[in-house]
């Protein structure tokens, strides 16, 4: 398939897809679908798509909410704090331990990530308010979980609607208990997706970790010239660990992980680092910009998916430091190169030319493209659940060819795109997984790494390659058709 | 570093010395107590195992820790997916729907269609009418469902949106282009701050049955309605149908999601199977209605009993006794003998129970789950001579505790058997440490209890995320009881091997034949 025909096919698919909608919805969705190319003239986005707008009602969007962005993504992985899902029982239950934010700790004793703390609102809490109950929740947590180093209050929808003042409760209790208590107004109806939840959570980190007294000892860590923080890595399947190892091998000292396997101390130490390394730009650019403005800490984005991007990123990071780091950086690259060459030699012949369609969240719709391309696979469609213009702008720099771009794609559209463009692999989330597997299409979950991983760094890429091969070349896909349905 | 011939994922990768070094090195920046003072962690961990901790833990009044229940709209979504071509539609913010879909999908390993009308801040202020009008229209246009079943999130309930008025307004404004006047759009208010997912099931089932049958009361037909309740075992639905079919009677299963959540590979169609809309419209004219889950259908069955005046009532076909009762109820309602097929099935089950009883007899179990599941499963444990030491139901409705207590009181071990209504799984942790049992029966949330207390977990319940295909089996009917028997007995035997496999120490009891 030549590039012209691919582009034409993609454009035709969009046109066809829009026909199913009533007029108003079609007009809206048209702006979120496009065909992007590395040479796009529009510098503001990719494929001219619009983003970060309200979802069309009734279409089965894959988006989540602000609570998911705050509790599920940013705050939830902070391991030595307890995160209360404040409101009715469901939100905390549905979001419990599904993201695979790995951490080291004794769960229920000094760390709490995979647990579910809920204020379990009943009707009387809605009618009479839940502030009193919240205060009591905090007291009970203090008694039963004495090693917690702080509490966050993750608001569910009703909190902001019934006029509760969780800020006042947090303030009173923080003083009384001499403890970090963070009220987060991340009610699910705020904003258009989980994205606003990230922003709200970032702001509360600023207000309650940076600008307030944190009751853990940070004085035992002396600052060095090589201190960096990993920002926007949620340690899914251990991603932050397989990233950290590379940074340490090149002579840097990783003082903090935000927020996979994080502790409050690491976060409190971060305003003293020399450089912030930002992986998930979407969810943590806010706090990075704040640290730049407030503490003069520069930040750079990096990408540890696939060797091409990893090498580029390692060099970009090293360039901020002295020659010793740059020299070690080259040593690291040289050390891993034979392994990477072997991985590519093994898997590329099995995967070359296979086409991929992606639909994920934060950074992956663009960041993982390079990893696929390193294996000779061709990404022909990508999109984000909750991106903004600046994400699409960055996407333009990472695509290799004419690529259909779908913002906030819904179930109907994704299914239709896949049927029309016939990729060899679809890589998206759990909600979509079985739709495509039913069609006999190889599929990988790219939020949870499909219970594998890590995928970051050199070691992660080897796993990624092995998993993509597993998906595409498994014999199971050939069983979909019964022998009596075969032609000839 | 990875070796290309033996690439390992995180399970083994992080055990390697270079990663162990990374993890050890990280500790200097950490504030979690394990990094600062492991002895203190050990001390607190030990304290959490004590009676002192248990008393404080069980006295909690405000914070819920590790619940064993979910919220109303989840149950409403299940009801909707049990009807032919029906799209569950949740009026509220879309984050909730993303959660319901993920939750069911992780359990069933199947797609779970469901839409929301994506209410945001402006809808919170002005109400969600605009969202409802657009949402219903778009849903109908894009997915072409035969019916749309509307439920609500807590946001819509707090602001007090009027579903009936909104749906009428949506139809009126649409003028019949996508939403003709007769297009079935039943609804139910499902506030998350009342009851649990089974309450939502009840409300949506009540909504569909009452609204679809409006004005349809006609001549009574010799036909039995079966309402399965919040049933997560696909095989159970099939077992129940096979029992009813054995009687040769006409029946309607109201809310049959067995095909929807068990689609064959080959191609994908959004909706499969389900109760025919025509049947649902006519279910008021059946002669009887049997609900298989009393606590998940109390409102619905009140309507059926008081207004429709159907015979039937409740019957929980889990375990031998429960299935017997169900079978006898059907015999009574149909006026026929128990079919030979069922007599044989029963005989085979009893035979199996008599083969395996030594391994379950006297064994202590902790079990948790939904109230109706527990009534059936505990009954089965008692039938086998097992001792359900801790029976915990987080979402226990009124009346459940007394019914469970009465059941346990039939056991010779009754004084050591406990009912825990309204308690969560962190409470269960204390119970397991202070009054240990031999086995646990429960959902995937028991995994951490298994790790912390060392009690083996038998996966029966919902949700089950980390074991495959169990939901395809039946736990209802004689064949379902046989599955329960098989799973439990073999776990007991697995554990017996585990406990006796010590070479030259305990393996004299590591028997080949059992």
């Amino acid at each position: 398939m030549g590039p012209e025909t691919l582009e034409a096919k993609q454009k035709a698919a969009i046109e066809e897809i829009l026909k199913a909608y009533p007029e108003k919805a079609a007009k809206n969705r048209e702006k979120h679908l496009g065909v992007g190319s590395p040479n796009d003239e529009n510098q503001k986005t990719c494929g001219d798509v619009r983003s970060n707008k309200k979802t069309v009602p009734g279409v089965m969007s894959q988006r989540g909410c602000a609570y998911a962005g705050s509790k599920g993504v940013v705050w939830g992985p902070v391991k030595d704090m307890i995160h209360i899902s404040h409101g009715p029982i469901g939100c905390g239950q549905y979001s419990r331990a599904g993201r695979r934010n790995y951490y080291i700790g004794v769960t229920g004793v000094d760390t709490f990530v995979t647990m579910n703390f809920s204020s379990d609102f009943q009707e009387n809490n809605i009618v009479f308010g839940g502030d009193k109950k919240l205060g009591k929740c905090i007291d009970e947590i203090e008694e039963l979980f004495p090693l917690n180093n702080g509490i966050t209050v993750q608001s569910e929808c009703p909190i902001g609607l019934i006029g509760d003042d969780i800020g006042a409760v947090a303030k009173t209790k923080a003083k009384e208990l001499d403890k970090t208590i963070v009220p987060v107004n991340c009610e699910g109806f705020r904003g258009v997706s989980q994205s606003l939840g990230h922003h709200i959570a970032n702001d509360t980190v600023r207000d309650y970790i940076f600008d307030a007294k944190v009751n853990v000892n940070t004085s035992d860590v002396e600052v060095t010239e090589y201190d960096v923080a990993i920002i926007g890595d949620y340690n899914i399947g251990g991603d932050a660990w397989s990233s950290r190892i590379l940074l340490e091998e090149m002579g840097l000292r990783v003082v903090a992980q935000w927020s996979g396997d994080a502790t409050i101390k690491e976060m409190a130490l971060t305003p003293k680092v020399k450089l912030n390394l930002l992986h998930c730009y979407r969810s943590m650019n806010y706090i990075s910009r704040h640290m730049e403005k407030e503490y003069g800490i520069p930040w750079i984005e990096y990408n540890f998916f696939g060797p091409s991007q990893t090498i580029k990123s390692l060099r970009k990071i090293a360039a901020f430091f002295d020659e010793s780091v740059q020299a070690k950086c080259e040593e690291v690259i040289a050390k891993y190169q034979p392994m990477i060459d072997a991985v590519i030699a093994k898997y590329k012949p099995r995967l070359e030319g296979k086409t991929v369609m992606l639909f994920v969240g934060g950074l992956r719709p663009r960041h993982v493209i390079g990893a696929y391309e390193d294996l000779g696979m061709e990404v022909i469609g990508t999109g984000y659940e909750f991106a903004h213009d600046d994400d699409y702008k960055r996407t333009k720099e990472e695509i290799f060819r004419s690529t259909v771009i779908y913002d906030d794609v819904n179930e109907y559209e994704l299914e239709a795109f896949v049927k029309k463009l016939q990729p060899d692999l679809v890589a998206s989330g759990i909600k979509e997984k079985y739709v495509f597997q039913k069609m006999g299409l190889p599929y990988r979950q790219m939020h949870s790494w499909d219970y594998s991983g890590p995928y970051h760094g050199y070691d992660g890429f080897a796993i990624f390659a092995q998993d993509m091969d597993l998906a595409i070349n498994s014999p199971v896909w050939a069983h979909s058709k019964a022998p009596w349905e075969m032609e000839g | 570093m990875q070796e290309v011939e033996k690439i390992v994922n995180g399970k083994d990768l992080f055990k390697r010395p270079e990663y162990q070094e990374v993890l050890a090195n990280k500790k200097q920046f950490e504030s979690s107590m394990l990094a600062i003072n492991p002895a203190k962690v050990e001390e607190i961990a030990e304290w959490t195992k004590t009676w002192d901790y248990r008393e404080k833990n069980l006295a909690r009044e405000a914070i819920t820790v590790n619940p064993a229940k979910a919220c109303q709209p989840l149950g409403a979504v299940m009801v909707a997916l049990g009807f032919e071509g029906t799209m569950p539609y949740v009026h509220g913010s879309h984050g909730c729907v993303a959660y319901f879909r993920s939750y069911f999908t992780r359990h069933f390993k199947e797609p779970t269609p469901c839409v929301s009308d994506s209410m945001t801040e402006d809808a919170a202020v002005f109400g969600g009418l605009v969202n409802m009008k657009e949402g219903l229209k778009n849903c109908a246009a894009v997915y072409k469902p035969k019916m749309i079943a509307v439920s609500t999130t807590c946001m819509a309930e707090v602001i007090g949106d009027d579903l009936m008025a909104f749906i009428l307004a949506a139809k009126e404004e649409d003028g019949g282009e996508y939403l003709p006047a007769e297009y079935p759009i039943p609804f139910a208010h499902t506030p998350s701050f009342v009851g649990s997912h089974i309450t939502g099931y009840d409300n949506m089932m009540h909504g569909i049955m009452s609204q679809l049958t409006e004005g349809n009361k006609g001549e009574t037909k010799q036909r039995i309605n079966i309402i399965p309740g919040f049933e997560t075992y696909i095989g159970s639905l099939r077992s129940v149908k096979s029992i009813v079919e054995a009687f040769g009677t006409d029946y309607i299963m109201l809310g049959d999601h067995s095909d929807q959540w068990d689609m064959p590979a080959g191609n994908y169609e959004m909706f499969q199977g389900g109760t025919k809309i025509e049947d649902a419209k006519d279910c008021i004219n059946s002669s009887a209605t049997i609900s298989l889950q009393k606590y998940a259908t109390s409102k619905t069955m009140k309507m059926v009993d008081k207004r429709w005046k159907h015979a039937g009532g409740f019957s929980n076909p889990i375990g031998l006794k429960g299935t017997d009762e169900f079978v006898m109820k059907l015999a009574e309602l149909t006026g026929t003998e128990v079919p030979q097929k069922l007599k044989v099935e029963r005989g085979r089950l009893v035979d199996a129970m008599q083969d395996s009883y030594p391994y379950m007899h006297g064994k202590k179990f902790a079990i948790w789950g939904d109230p109706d599941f527990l009534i059936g499963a505990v009954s089965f444990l008692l039938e086998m001579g097992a001792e359900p030491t801790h029976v915990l139901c987080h979402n226990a409705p009124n009346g459940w505790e007394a019914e469970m207590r009465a059941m346990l009181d039939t056991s010779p071990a009754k004084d050591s058997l406990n009912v825990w209504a309204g308690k969560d799984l962190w409470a269960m942790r204390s119970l397991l440490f202070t009054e240990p049992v031999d086995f646990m029966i429960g959902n995937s949330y028991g995994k951490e209890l298994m790790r912390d207390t060392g009690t083996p977990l038998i996966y029966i319940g919902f949700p089950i995320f980390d074991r495959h295909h169990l939901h395809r089996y039946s736990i209802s009917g004689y064949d379902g009881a046989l599955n329960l028997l098989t799973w439990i007995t073999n776990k007991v035997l697995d554990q017996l091997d585990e406990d006796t496999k010590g070479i030259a120490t305990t393996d004299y009891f590591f028997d080949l034949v059992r």
Side-chain angles (χ1 to χ4, degrees):
Chain A
M1 199 189 308
E4 289 85 6
T5 58
L6 177 61
E7 191 185 338
K9 222 173 159 178
Q10 290 166 334
K11 285 190 166 150
I14 293 174
E15 208 169 296
E16 183 70 28
I17 279 166
L18 289 169
K19 283 181 189 162
Y21 288 111
E23 199 185 330
K24 192 175 168 194
K27 230 168 123 186
N28 181 314
R29 287 305 302 159
E30 188 181 8
K31 297 179 186 147
H32 293 263
L33 305 174
V35 177
S37 98
N39 327 310
D40 267 9
E41 276 174 24
N42 187 339
Q43 295 302 313
K44 272 174 72 183
T45 172
C46 182
D48 279 326
V49 301
R50 186 174 77 155
S51 57
N52 197 31
K53 298 288 183 210
K54 274 198 261 180
T55 295
V56 171
V59 298
M60 216 184 301
S61 163
Q62 314 289 7
R63 277 178 166 177
C65 64
Y67 162 89
S70 176
K71 187 265 183 181
V73 175
V74 174
W75 275 112
V78 180
K79 66 180 176 179
D80 60 341
M81 297 177 82
I82 284 175
H83 311 287
I84 302 175
S85 294
H86 188 41
I89 197 72
C91 315
Q93 193 70 325
Y94 307 130
S95 59
R96 182 179 175 190
R99 266 176 65 82
R100 307 184 71 235
N101 307 108
Y102 283 4
Y103 63 102
I104 303 293
V106 182
T107 301
V109 180
D110 81 325
T111 48
F112 312 94
V113 180
T114 54
M115 296 171 69
N116 174 6
F117 294 81
S118 169
S119 54
D120 189 9
F121 262 34
Q122 302 299 308
E123 199 154 19
N124 62 334
N125 304 125
I126 300 289
V127 177
F128 301 112
D131 285 344
K132 232 172 142 179
K133 188 174 198 181
L134 176 60
K136 194 153 195 189
C137 285
I138 292 169
D139 289 339
E140 290 176 357
I141 285 172
E142 275 306 284
E143 181 174 40
L144 290 167
F145 305 95
L147 299 185
N148 84 77
N149 284 327
I151 294 167
T152 72
V153 182
Q154 306 287 331
S155 301
E156 300 169 10
C157 286
I159 304 305
L161 298 171
I162 60 174
D164 272 14
D165 189 352
I166 59 166
V169 179
K171 200 170 166 188
T172 310
K173 282 287 161 194
K175 208 170 156 195
E176 185 190 318
L177 304 167
D178 191 21
K179 157 147 267 167
T180 299
I181 298 179
V182 187
V184 191
N185 278 107
C186 53
E187 288 87 349
F189 61 80
R190 294 190 194 279
V192 300
S193 68
Q194 45 274 66
S195 182
L196 188 61
H198 305 141
H199 196 157
I200 292 167
N202 276 226
D203 287 352
T204 52
V205 171
R206 175 195 66 203
D207 295 345
Y208 292 88
I209 306 288
F210 291 171
D211 295 351
K213 185 176 79 90
V214 169
N215 202 14
V216 292
N217 178 27
T218 54
S219 62
D220 58 336
V221 178
E222 278 176 35
V223 172
T224 79
E225 283 307 300
Y226 302 106
D227 289 0
V228 297
I230 293 178
I231 310 277
D233 188 327
Y234 301 102
N235 205 32
I236 289 165
D239 279 340
W241 296 332
S242 62
S243 302
R244 186 181 185 107
I245 194 169
L246 300 179
L247 299 169
E248 289 182 348
E249 281 180 21
M250 63 192 248
L252 301 177
R253 195 171 79 149
V254 181
V255 168
Q257 285 177 200
W258 291 57
S259 55
D261 194 31
T263 59
I264 189 170
K265 179 177 171 182
E266 291 164 72
M267 296 172 89
L269 286 168
T270 307
K272 290 184 184 158
V273 301
K274 300 298 169 211
L275 178 66
N276 275 324
L277 305 176
L278 181 56
H279 208 241
C280 181
Y281 169 86
R282 182 71 273 131
S283 59
M284 284 200 175
N285 77 84
Y286 317 101
I287 200 70
S288 307
R289 290 177 198 280
H290 172 74
M291 283 190 265
E292 181 177 42
K293 197 168 136 232
E294 196 65 27
Y295 310 108
I297 304 171
W299 54 278
I300 53 168
E301 292 172 62
Y302 70 108
N303 178 352
F304 272 3
F305 287 105
S308 300
Q309 290 294 338
T310 302
I311 290 168
K312 225 163 109 182
S313 294
L314 287 170
R315 287 189 174 134
K316 191 164 137 191
I317 294 164
F320 266 81
F321 294 92
D322 57 29
E323 281 171 8
S324 78
V325 171
Q326 289 162 22
K328 273 191 222 150
C329 170
E330 291 307 318
E331 284 169 27
V332 170
I333 292 169
K335 172 182 153 189
Y336 285 96
Q337 196 58 46
M339 184 269 276
I340 290 302
D341 289 343
V343 168
I344 290 176
K346 180 173 177 184
Y347 291 109
K348 195 169 179 177
R350 302 165 61 86
L351 298 169
E352 193 149 30
K354 301 285 185 191
T355 55
V356 184
M357 284 177 66
L358 299 166
F359 183 68
V360 216
L363 72 160
R364 292 163 182 173
R366 64 173 176 276
H367 265 29
V368 300
I369 292 174
Y372 283 108
E373 301 280 345
D374 282 340
L375 291 167
M377 300 173 76
E378 298 175 1
V379 175
I380 57 165
T382 193
Y384 299 76
E385 283 180 33
F386 49 81
H388 302 201
D389 272 355
D390 45 6
D391 295 293
Y392 283 104
K393 183 182 159 195
R394 287 165 166 75
T395 308
K396 196 172 69 73
E397 292 155 21
E398 305 221 24
I399 58 178
F400 282 69
R401 62 187 62 74
S402 174
T403 306
V404 59
I405 308 287
Y406 27 73
D407 179 68
D408 183 20
V409 79
N410 55 59
E411 176 99 4
Y412 152 73
E413 289 172 0
L414 191 59
E415 199 188 318
F417 274 125
V418 167
K419 280 181 175 158
K420 286 178 196 309
L421 302 176
Q422 308 226 315
D424 298 298
L425 178 81
V426 183
S428 184
I430 183 69
K431 301 189 289 296
E432 304 90 330
K433 175 172 179 171
Y434 301 100
V435 169
F436 298 109
Q437 289 202 167
K438 297 279 173 214
M439 300 177 190
L441 263 174
Y443 190 94
R444 288 299 294 185
Q445 286 183 71
M446 291 301 277
H447 297 263
S448 65
W449 306 150
D450 235 313
Y451 324 116
S452 177
Y455 282 175
H456 288 180
Y458 288 112
D459 287 340
F461 175 69
I463 302 165
F464 173 82
Q466 181 171 259
D467 286 349
M468 296 311 135
D469 176 53
L470 166 86
I472 291 213
N473 293 313
S474 165
V476 296
W477 307 115
H479 307 328
S480 291
K481 257 197 164 48
W484 54 86
E485 293 170 330
M486 305 281 187
E487 281 168 38
Chain B
M1 200 193 305
Q2 298 276 13
E3 296 155 45
V4 71
E5 288 315 318
K6 193 175 177 281
I7 294 169
V8 294
N9 66 20
K11 171 178 164 278
D12 292 320
L13 183 68
F14 299 128
K15 288 181 196 158
R16 295 191 173 168
E18 67 267 30
Y19 279 98
Q20 285 299 308
E21 199 185 318
V22 165
L23 295 176
N25 198 28
K26 182 175 182 292
K27 287 204 163 80
Q28 61 181 306
F29 310 109
E30 293 188 333
S31 46
S32 47
M33 193 54 79
L34 192 67
I36 297 167
N37 183 358
K40 184 76 190 167
V41 174
E42 184 61 32
E43 178 199 321
I44 299 294
E46 284 305 312
W47 172 57
T48 66
K49 301 174 185 172
T50 63
W51 277 90
D52 175 52
Y53 189 88
R54 165 176 165 156
E55 273 155 29
K56 292 183 167 75
N57 186 8
L58 266 62
R60 267 184 290 132
E61 288 174 354
I63 191 76
T64 292
V65 186
N66 295 349
K69 61 177 181 178
C71 70
Q72 281 212 42
L74 186 82
V77 169
M78 172 179 277
V79 174
L81 288 173
F83 288 85
E84 178 194 15
T86 298
M87 181 67 88
Y89 179 111
V90 183
H91 179 56
S93 44
H94 51 225
C96 312
V97 166
Y99 280 146
F100 308 145
R101 293 177 62 211
S102 305
Y103 207 65
F104 278 133
T105 300
R106 286 175 178 148
H107 174 80
F108 289 113
K109 319 289 181 210
E110 294 284 329
T112 302
C114 178
V115 301
S116 98
D117 51 18
S118 298
M119 282 165 67
T120 52
E121 224 148 354
D122 50 350
V125 177
F126 301 112
L129 177 60
V130 176
N131 299 69
M132 181 74 93
K133 285 177 176 174
E134 274 188 51
L136 286 176
K137 182 195 278 216
N138 290 335
C139 171
V142 173
Y143 299 107
K144 301 182 177 58
K146 290 196 165 77
M147 177 162 95
I148 300 175
V150 179
S151 57
T152 50
T153 71
C154 48
M155 174 200 187
E157 288 299 319
V158 171
I159 63 175
D161 278 359
D162 180 346
L163 291 182
M164 181 144 74
F166 281 17
I167 292 165
L168 284 174
K171 282 185 171 178
E172 195 169 296
E173 187 173 288
D174 178 68
E177 190 183 358
Y178 297 100
L179 307 169
E182 68 280 7
Y183 193 50
I185 310 183
F187 62 90
H189 291 276
T190 50
S192 303
F193 43 81
V194 176
S196 68
H197 54 286
I198 60 169
T199 323
Y201 181 93
D202 197 9
N203 283 330
M204 192 77 244
M205 185 57 86
H206 178 271
I208 289 179
M209 285 174 61
S210 61
Q211 292 158 40
L212 287 192
T213 57
E214 225 169 79
N216 291 351
K217 183 71 192 154
E219 214 167 293
T220 300
K221 297 169 184 163
Q222 273 306 310
R223 187 176 61 198
I224 301 171
N225 299 329
I226 305 281
I227 306 176
F230 192 91
E231 180 54 74
T232 58
Y233 282 88
I234 297 302
S236 286
L237 297 172
R238 294 183 182 142
S239 290
V240 166
K241 285 194 277 190
S242 132
I243 292 172
V244 181
E245 281 159 15
F247 281 91
T249 176
D250 270 0
Y251 74 100
I252 301 171
M253 183 173 269
L254 290 160
D256 175 5
H257 48 255
S258 58
D259 290 341
Q260 178 66 32
W261 271 315
D262 196 12
M263 292 186 194
N267 69 323
Y268 174 67
E269 276 172 40
M270 187 162 277
F271 303 114
Q272 289 197 17
T275 312
K276 297 258 178 273
I277 309 280
E278 287 316 305
D279 288 349
K281 285 181 175 170
D282 195 48
C283 70
I284 192 170
N285 296 318
S286 297
S287 50
T289 297
I290 304 174
S291 162
L292 310 182
Q293 292 190 358
K294 178 158 83 176
Y295 295 102
T297 59
S298 53
K299 182 177 168 186
T300 305
M301 287 303 282
K302 206 166 164 186
M303 173 188 76
V304 168
D305 185 42
K306 300 263 191 258
R307 291 182 181 215
W308 295 9
K309 304 201 186 316
H310 282 191
F314 299 105
S315 188
N316 183 335
I318 300 178
L320 176 69
K321 190 164 153 266
T323 306
D324 284 346
E325 283 168 8
F326 181 55
V327 166
M328 286 190 292
K329 193 179 273 286
L330 289 169
E332 187 196 316
L333 290 171
T334 57
T336 51
E337 273 269 306
V338 174
Q340 183 61 22
K341 170 182 158 17
L342 295 177
K343 287 181 182 165
V344 172
E345 270 187 34
R346 183 185 195 278
R348 286 182 184 140
L349 169 64
V350 173
D351 180 66
M353 290 166 78
Q354 291 166 350
D355 291 345
S356 306
Y357 75 93
Y359 296 101
M360 278 178 72
H361 189 97
K363 291 284 186 305
K364 292 181 193 303
F365 287 84
I367 181 168
W368 67 92
D370 283 343
D372 294 290
F373 160 75
L374 287 172
I375 295 288
V378 168
S379 172
F380 181 69
L381 291 176
L382 294 171
E383 288 155 21
M384 290 302 297
E387 298 179 12
T389 307
H390 301 299
V391 182
L392 182 146
C393 184
H394 197 180
N395 52 346
N398 284 339
W400 178 86
E401 189 173 359
E403 184 181 357
M404 181 54 70
R405 186 68 257 171
M407 271 175 65
L408 296 182
D409 284 344
T410 64
S411 164
K414 62 179 193 286
D415 294 338
S416 64
L417 309 184
N418 306 289
V419 187
W420 304 99
K423 295 294 178 194
D424 56 36
L425 295 178
W426 191 254
M428 179 61 100
R429 187 176 184 273
S430 278
L431 300 175
L432 293 169
F433 275 125
T434 49
E435 292 177 86
V437 297
D438 300 305
F439 296 91
M440 297 186 286
I441 294 178
N443 54 22
S444 290
Y445 297 124
K447 194 167 185 158
E448 291 188 351
L449 294 171
M450 169 171 71
R451 180 186 62 186
D452 291 359
T453 69
T455 319
L457 171 63
I458 302 167
Y459 280 85
I460 307 173
F462 170 84
I464 295 175
F465 294 147
D466 61 330
R467 292 292 184 275
H468 281 209
H469 307 305
L470 293 171
H471 68 274
R472 296 177 194 265
Y473 288 80
S474 171
I475 63 165
S476 296
Y478 298 123
D479 57 334
L482 188 56
N483 286 333
L484 292 176
L485 179 72
T486 308
W487 295 337
I488 298 170
T489 303
N490 284 334
K491 187 72 179 185
V492 172
L493 294 174
D494 283 345
Q495 191 60 33
L496 190 52
D497 285 347
E498 191 60 34
D499 293 344
T500 59
K501 71 181 185 189
I503 293 172
T505 52
T506 59
D507 59 355
Y508 46 83
F509 225 78
F510 189 71
D511 279 313
L512 182 66
V513 184
R514 296 200 199 272

